[in-house]
Amino acid sequence: ARRVVVLISGSGSNLQALIDAQAHDELGGEIVAVISNQADAYGLKRARDAGIDAVVLPHREYDSREAYDGALIKVIERHEPDLIVLAGFMRILTPRFVNRFLGRMLNIHPSLLPAYQGLHTHARALSDGVAEHGCSVHFVTEELDGGPVALQAEVAITPEDTEESLKAKVQAREHLIFPIAVCWYLEGRLRLEGDAATMDGTPLPPTGMR
Ligand code: GAR
């Protein structure tokens, strides 16, 4: 089976969606390890409950980003993954790390990229008064939240929405699209070719598939 390593920092609801997809034979591979930079991440319990190797690698124990990412590379490579999945991993990655796994790393981001890169995406979308928001699965490149988009899902913002309600709506979509993108990758259909994400060999538009 194709091997997946998932990196998390928190709740791990996207990890859970991936675990559930695997349980239904819909992931196209096996999650062989979950790694968290936060010792108290709830996602670690989700991993253990699913019988998956759960590793804590606290960034505070390293002097520099380079040292941490070097240690992270070692732990990841021990598990010989075909794909590294960033599921709420709230760390900026070094160029060395990104390039080591270039074309083999997918991230989920809570906005319709290229809109709202960075943090606090729901609050920013609300305060701008935009009608459409959502989430994106993209390949990780050196450009933070700037790698080629594979798949997006939209949600409508309504006048009643709060940051919390919007986050819940977007995350429900994340849980739908992330396992699909991972499966397409593991089947060899979704790839990074040069600067573009491709599906079945066809380059995708900048906003990926929707
Ligand atoms: C997700 O909503 C994901 O889009 C976001 O963190 C959340 C993690 O939730 N990621 C980022 O903001 C990346 N910059 P989860 O731990 O419940 O999956």
Side-chain angles (χ1 to χ4, degrees), residues 56-171:
V56 179
L57 195 67
H59 59 271
R60 288 180 205 294
E61 292 175 11
Y62 295 83
D63 291 340
S64 66
R65 226 174 251 294
E66 287 69 27
Y68 182 74
D69 281 9
L72 194 53
I73 287 171
K74 279 196 187 142
V75 176
I76 291 171
E77 289 191 334
R78 218 187 282 149
H79 294 279
E80 302 184 339
D82 297 288
L83 175 67
I84 294 110
V85 171
L86 307 184
F89 188 62
M90 304 304 280
R91 297 265 313 161
I92 292 171
L93 300 164
T94 57
R96 176 174 167 234
F97 185 94
V98 170
N99 288 310
R100 174 71 72 122
F101 301 118
L102 192 65
R104 288 191 286 149
M105 186 153 53
L106 291 172
N107 181 45
I108 184 101
H109 183 80
S111 76
L112 295 173
L113 290 171
Y116 304 116
Q117 300 175 339
L119 298 175
H120 312 299
T121 59
H122 310 305
R124 286 154 63 205
L126 274 177
S127 79
D128 285 352
V130 296
E132 294 259 281
H133 187 47
C135 50
S136 307
V137 179
H138 67 95
F139 282 100
V140 178
T141 63
E142 277 194 45
E143 196 186 333
L144 183 66
D145 298 330
V149 175
L151 188 55
Q152 293 187 326
E154 298 170 15
V155 307
I157 298 184
T158 63
E160 301 78 43
D161 268 321
T162 62
E163 193 177 341
E164 277 311 298
S165 71
L166 191 53
K167 178 180 168 185
K169 284 200 286 194
V170 169
Q171 286 198 334

